[in-house]
């Protein structure tokens, strides 16, 4: 039997039982739509995280005080709240002299009450230097960033994140207004551009940036740093810069045994690796759910095809009597199963894509404006392949059963 | 054309063997109209199934068109059934939801006849049973007599040399039965060999030869003289 005739015959078989064909297909439609939606959401989450990590800057090497034992995913003690005072100005100066380092910015952080007229709120402030804005991709929307001469002169100037500016000033212009942070007056010199969430959900819009000198001496009373962020020079790769930074710090801290390092170095690659682990698990989880629903759909197809083979026993006998070979019958029933799953797959792709668009519209408005739309080609290809494979895998058993029927018994079947 | 020698057929069911054919031998020439008659359980349907390549004998030889059934694979049997044999069943065995045209087309789907030539063959076969007006009607909606005529058209469409009919008038009233037998007679007159199984004397009376079966063997091989054939008055 020619393939064209087989397809025509299979189509006739399916259209003669329209409702049943449609209901059978439904399992595959839902399965494939789930594959599309869940894979797309997984991809979107991955892109969101990548964008967030890239939004904090490029070629970055973060130095935090305190050693990290164990894997690269372990968090250093300073992050866990332990005060470690080993990262100091001489380290920063040495790093700034290093040719593989394009620029370096120190950071200290604290929380304090910020007040403007009758409005107040608690905010996380960052004390840093002029390089910070470039390194961390912070654009100034209004006003200007402070300079290192402001840092050296202990000038009490501040830049506000757009969120905190709105909270304190509403629609008014904050530039040159005086705010009070931990009781100390600061002149607002700039408002930052909106940046959204950073990696690990860090809010990059709800912050106050002040010169590190003031932050250390007047707000915190310390002389060490919480972080030094280094931007590797474009001429060197980040790994090389990382090794140079490690060598400089060991030399400064007189460390000869690497196991006794009193600092931890992290790159964006590390952040991506941590987050990549999370998204991989998420993707495996989502894909598993989708595939389970596909298997359920496939079993549905097999079930209906088996019933169909029994119901059409006489037809099988007749076809064999008029010249159909076992292969012809196998081909007919297999094509019926494949047509069901492929049609279900196409409808599933359509519905899945539609749900994906709706999910995007909801998530971008409700969850985060940084949510990215993704409809990966791999999901579409996989959906079609899986739909066809489901048809073949779950269709072959009933089709084989049909093909092996004895024509005489089939013709006599009541 | 057909040579059957000492044909034996055993059925094994739950360990016990039943012998349906106990050593049947006969020959049929091209163009004959042969009726196989006998009471229920005499082995006539078993014989027809073996003759029409739907089943294989347990022992003995059966040669048709110069080919022995024992030498052919299942696929080769299917090919011979498709090219050289036509089937008419008591229960019509039509695809009820398919049109008359699609039912008649069925054997062509498994043949090597190119699609371009099919329409001509199908319409010719439907014309031969005088059902041109019903060509697009679903087969399930036809009367019993019309259904059997569709089945005959389906049996004819591949232009086979040999037609097998298993109780072709069994489910029909006498008028429709007569119409069906008239068509078979006409086909025989045009040169087709026809072998039918029946237990009805008036259906068998169309045949030129009657093989009377009893307990799995041929009891009597009766050649019917021309003047005794085709007692059409019985159906009018």
């Amino acid at each position: 039997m020619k393939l064209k005739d087989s397809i025509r015959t299979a189509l006739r078989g399916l259209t003669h039982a329209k409702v049943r064909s449609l209901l059978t297909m439904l399992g595959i439609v839902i399965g494939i739509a789930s594959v599309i939606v869940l894979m797309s959401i997984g991809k979107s989450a991955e892109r969101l995280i990548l964008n967030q990590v890239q939004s904090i800057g490029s070629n970055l090497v973060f130095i935090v005080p305190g050693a990290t034992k164990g894997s690269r995913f372990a968090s250093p003690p300073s992050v866990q709240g332990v005060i470690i005072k080993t990262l100091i100005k001489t380290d920063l100066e040495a790093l700034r002299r290093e040719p593989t380092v394009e620029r370096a910015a120190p950071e200290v952080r604290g929380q304090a009450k910020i007040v403007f007229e009758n409005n107040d709120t608690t905010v996380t402030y960052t004390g840093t230097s002029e390089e910070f804005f470039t390194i961390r991709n912070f654009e100034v929307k209004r006003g200007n960033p402070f300079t290192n001469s402001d840092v050296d002169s202990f000038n009490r100037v501040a830049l506000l994140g757009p969120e905190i500016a709105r909270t304190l000033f509403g629609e008014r212009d904050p530039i040159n207004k005086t705010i009070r942070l931990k009781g100390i007056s600061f002149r607002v010199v700039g408002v930052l551009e909106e940046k959204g969430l950073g990696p690990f959900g860090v809010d990059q819009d709800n912050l106050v940036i002040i010169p590190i000198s003031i932050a250390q001496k007047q707000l915190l009373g310390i002389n060490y740093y919480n972080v030094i962020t280094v931007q590797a020079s474009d001429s060197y790769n980040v790994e090389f810069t990382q090794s140079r930074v490690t060598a400089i710090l060991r030399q400064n801290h007189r460390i000869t045994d690497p196991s006794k390092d009193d600092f931890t170095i992290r790159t964006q690659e590390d952040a991506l690796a941590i987050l990549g682990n999370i998204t991989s698990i998420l993707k495996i989880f989502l894909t598993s759910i989708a595939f389970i629903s596909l298997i359920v759909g496939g079993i549905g197809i097999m079930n209906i095809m088996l019933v169909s083979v029994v119901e059409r026993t006489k037809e099988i006998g007749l076809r064999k009597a008029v010249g159909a070979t076992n292969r012809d019958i196998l081909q007919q029933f297999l094509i019926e199963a494949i047509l069901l799953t492929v049609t279900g797959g196409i409808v599933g792709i359509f519905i899945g894509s539609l749900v994906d668009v709706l999910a995007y519209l909801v998530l971008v408005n409700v969850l985060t404006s940084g949510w990215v739309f993704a409809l990966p080609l791999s999901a579409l290809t996989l959906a079609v392949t899986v739909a066809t494979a489901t048809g073949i895998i779950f269709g072959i058993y009933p089709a084989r059963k049909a093909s092996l029927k004895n024509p005489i018994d089939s013709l006599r079947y009541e | 054309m057909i040579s059957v020698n000492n044909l034996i057929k055993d059925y094994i069911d739950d360990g016990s063997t039943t012998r349906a054919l106990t050593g049947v031998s006969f020959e049929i020439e091209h163009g004959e109209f042969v009726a196989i008659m006998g009471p229920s359980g005499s082995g006539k349907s078993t014989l027809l199934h073996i003759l029409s390549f739907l089943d294989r004998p347990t022992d003995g030889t059966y040669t048709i068109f110069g080919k022995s059934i024992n030498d052919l694979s299942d696929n080769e049997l299917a090919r011979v059934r498709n090219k050289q044999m036509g089937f008419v069943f008591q229960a019509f065995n039509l695809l009820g939801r398919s049109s008359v045209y699609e039912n008649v087309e069925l054997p062509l789907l498994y043949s090597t006849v190119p699609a371009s030539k099919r329409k001509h063959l199908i319409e010719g076969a439907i014309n031969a049973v005088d059902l041109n007006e019903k060509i697009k009607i679903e087969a399930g909606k036809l009367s019993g007599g019309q259904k059997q005529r569709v089945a005959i058209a389906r049996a004819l469409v591949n232009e086979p040399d040999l037609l097998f009919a298993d109780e072709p008038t069994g489910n029909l009233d006498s008028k429709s039965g007569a119409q069906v037998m008239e068509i078979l007679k006409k086909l025989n007159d045009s040169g087709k060999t026809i072998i039918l199984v029946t237990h009805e004397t008036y259906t068998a009376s169309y045949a030129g030869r009657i093989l009377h079966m009893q307990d799995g063997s041929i009891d009597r091989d009766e050649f019917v003289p021309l003047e005794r054939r085709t007692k059409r008055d019985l159906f009018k």
Side-chain angles (χ1 to χ4, degrees):
Chain A
M1 194 183 199
K2 291 196 182 94
L3 187 66
K4 194 176 144 195
D5 288 327
S6 283
I7 293 172
R8 207 155 55 94
T9 307
L11 270 176
R12 260 183 224 159
L14 293 175
T15 47
H16 286 167
K18 281 193 198 76
V19 175
R20 189 163 74 180
S21 301
L22 285 174
L23 288 175
T24 312
M25 221 188 281
L26 202 58
I28 297 297
V29 171
I30 293 170
I32 293 291
S34 318
V35 169
I36 299 282
V37 172
L38 297 176
M39 280 185 71
S40 301
I41 287 179
K43 190 75 189 170
S44 294
E46 197 177 59
R47 283 199 196 155
L48 174 73
I49 286 166
L50 188 69
N51 287 352
Q52 285 178 344
V53 171
Q54 283 168 347
S55 76
I56 61 171
S58 56
N59 298 344
L60 303 188
V61 177
F62 300 94
I63 306 148
V64 289
T68 308
K69 299 278 182 284
S71 79
R72 68 196 284 220
F73 299 139
S75 54
S78 55
V79 173
Q80 296 168 28
V82 180
I83 295 168
I84 301 171
K85 305 176 180 180
T86 49
L87 215 53
I88 51 172
K89 195 169 182 181
T90 50
D91 296 324
L92 178 70
E93 285 165 351
L95 290 170
R96 280 180 172 163
R97 286 194 298 272
E98 163 61 30
T100 64
V101 171
E102 185 70 35
R103 46 182 77 84
E107 282 175 57
V108 291
R109 290 197 196 111
Q111 277 205 326
K113 196 169 165 187
I114 184 167
V115 183
F116 174 71
E117 293 177 348
N118 295 327
N119 297 334
D120 67 73
T121 183
T122 302
V123 74
T124 301
Y125 60 86
T126 300
T128 186
S129 65
E130 157 184 344
E131 291 83 359
F132 178 82
F133 300 100
T134 314
I135 293 176
R136 298 290 300 275
N137 272 350
F138 276 102
E139 300 280 337
V140 178
K141 186 164 68 177
R142 285 212 302 276
N144 293 298
F146 56 73
T147 62
N148 278 345
S149 78
D150 289 315
V151 176
D152 297 338
S153 318
F154 287 77
N155 286 343
R156 288 180 299 189
V157 288
L159 279 102
L160 304 183
E163 187 69 36
I164 197 79
R166 256 193 305 277
T167 309
L168 292 181
F169 294 91
E171 295 303 309
R172 294 158 68 186
D173 184 8
I175 305 296
N176 287 329
K177 301 277 187 323
T178 302
I179 52 143
R180 292 178 75 80
L181 186 65
K182 212 175 176 182
I184 299 166
S185 300
F186 284 85
R187 184 168 56 89
V188 177
V189 291
V191 176
L192 301 168
E193 280 282 4
E194 293 217 19
K195 208 158 149 58
L197 290 179
F200 304 103
V202 174
D203 190 346
Q204 301 185 94
D205 293 333
N206 205 10
L207 79 174
V208 175
I209 301 172
I210 56 174
I212 190 156
S213 48
I214 293 282
Q216 278 185 312
K217 296 284 178 272
Q218 295 193 10
L219 273 74
L220 294 161
I222 57 173
N223 62 356
Y224 56 85
Y225 304 133
N226 298 134
V227 186
I228 296 175
T229 309
V230 161
Q231 188 164 42
S233 164
D234 279 341
S235 328
Y236 301 91
N237 68 35
V238 176
E239 287 77 30
F240 183 66
T241 306
Q242 188 181 352
S243 69
R244 287 296 307 141
V245 167
T246 309
I248 291 165
L249 291 175
R250 279 183 190 150
Q251 192 184 355
N252 268 14
H253 297 189
R254 294 188 178 82
I255 295 165
T256 49
D257 178 2
S259 68
K260 292 191 173 141
D261 278 350
D262 59 358
F263 56 88
T264 300
I265 295 183
R266 290 274 190 262
T267 62
Q268 279 166 302
E269 286 304 313
D270 295 322
L272 282 177
I274 295 170
L275 294 165
N277 255 11
I278 297 168
T279 50
S280 293
I281 292 167
L282 180 78
K283 272 163 81 179
I284 291 169
F285 175 69
L286 294 178
T287 314
S288 309
I289 294 175
F291 275 94
I292 288 169
S293 79
L294 255 182
I295 289 172
V296 172
I299 292 171
I301 294 251
M302 183 157 70
N303 192 14
I304 295 294
M305 290 304 293
L306 281 171
V307 173
S308 170
V309 167
V310 174
E311 275 183 2
R312 288 157 68 188
T313 300
K314 250 188 146 83
E315 178 193 324
I316 294 165
L318 169 70
R319 287 180 186 276
K320 284 196 160 184
V322 300
T325 59
N326 289 359
R327 208 190 129 168
D328 291 328
I329 301 292
L330 182 101
Q331 189 171 301
Q332 182 194 331
F333 278 85
L334 197 56
I335 287 176
E336 280 191 24
I338 294 172
L339 277 178
L340 274 179
T341 50
V342 169
T343 315
I346 291 167
V347 177
I349 286 175
F350 179 73
I351 292 177
S353 308
L354 206 68
V355 174
D356 192 29
V357 171
L358 290 177
Y360 164 73
L361 292 175
V362 171
L363 290 170
V364 85
N365 284 310
V366 176
L367 190 67
T368 164
S369 57
W371 189 258
V372 217
F373 178 73
L375 185 58
L377 189 67
S378 59
L380 301 182
T381 329
L382 187 77
V384 175
T385 317
V386 166
T388 316
T390 310
I392 294 171
I393 293 165
F394 291 98
I396 195 104
Y397 175 64
R400 197 176 139 70
K401 221 174 155 175
S403 74
L404 295 177
K405 279 189 180 287
N406 175 296
I408 302 283
D409 295 340
S410 304
L411 283 168
R412 281 185 185 149
Y413 183 82
E414 292 298 334
Chain B
M1 182 185 188
I2 286 179
S3 173
V4 171
N5 192 20
N6 201 24
L7 215 58
I8 291 171
K9 179 67 184 177
D10 291 336
Y11 289 112
I12 300 166
D13 194 17
D14 282 342
S16 66
T17 307
T18 311
R19 181 151 289 187
L21 295 179
T22 57
V24 176
S25 303
F26 60 87
E27 290 193 347
I28 293 174
E29 294 304 322
H30 185 266
E32 277 197 82
F33 190 149
V34 180
I36 303 170
M37 282 193 81
S40 171
S42 59
K44 56 186 190 302
S45 287
T46 304
L47 180 60
L48 187 82
H49 290 150
I50 294 174
L51 292 179
S52 60
F53 277 11
L54 288 169
D55 206 355
R56 288 175 185 271
T58 310
D59 203 1
T61 56
Y62 166 36
T63 313
I64 183 168
F65 310 121
K67 293 168 195 159
S68 167
I69 191 169
N70 300 326
D71 299 337
L72 300 174
S73 68
D74 285 351
N75 281 352
E76 285 166 327
L77 293 184
R79 219 165 294 140
V80 174
R81 281 201 301 271
N82 179 256
K83 275 191 177 171
Q84 289 167 301
M85 298 176 178
F87 296 89
V88 180
F89 305 94
Q90 180 178 358
F92 322 128
N93 286 341
L94 299 178
L95 304 176
R97 302 284 302 274
S98 298
S99 68
V100 167
Y101 184 96
E102 288 164 351
N103 269 284
V104 175
E105 184 189 25
L106 197 64
L108 295 177
L109 296 177
Y110 303 103
S111 73
T112 48
V113 176
S116 56
K117 290 191 179 164
R118 287 184 196 169
K119 193 168 182 265
H120 174 71
L121 286 171
I122 296 163
E123 286 174 351
I126 293 172
N127 192 34
V129 296
D130 202 18
L131 278 176
N132 308 40
E133 286 176 7
K134 306 281 182 189
I135 200 159
K136 288 180 181 169
I137 305 285
E138 273 187 18
K141 291 180 178 162
L142 300 175
S143 70
Q146 289 170 331
K147 282 180 182 166
Q148 199 58 301
R149 279 150 63 194
V150 175
I152 294 174
R154 182 181 63 196
L156 288 178
V157 74
N158 260 354
E159 299 180 325
D161 301 315
L162 182 55
L163 234 67
F164 292 100
D166 190 356
E167 302 276 11
T169 56
N171 282 8
L172 302 178
D173 58 67
S174 56
K175 194 180 169 198
S176 305
Q179 284 175 340
V180 164
M181 290 312 296
E182 281 301 327
I183 294 169
L184 292 179
K185 180 78 186 99
K186 222 185 268 177
L187 290 169
N188 178 242
D189 290 344
S190 71
K192 301 238 182 265
T193 309
I194 294 178
I195 300 174
L196 71 83
V197 160
T198 183
H199 62 273
E200 293 162 334
T201 318
Y202 59 84
T203 303
S205 68
Y206 274 82
R209 182 180 169 193
I210 303 172
L211 297 175
H212 295 272
M213 291 198 71
Q214 186 76 40
D215 298 331
S217 64
I218 294 175
D219 192 39
R220 192 153 50 95
D221 189 350
E222 179 190 6
F223 283 85
V224 186
L226 202 58
E227 63 273 14
R228 269 177 54 205
R229 289 184 210 169
T230 326
K231 294 176 180 167
R232 295 176 198 189
D233 291 348
L234 277 173
F235 306 110
K236 285 180 180 167

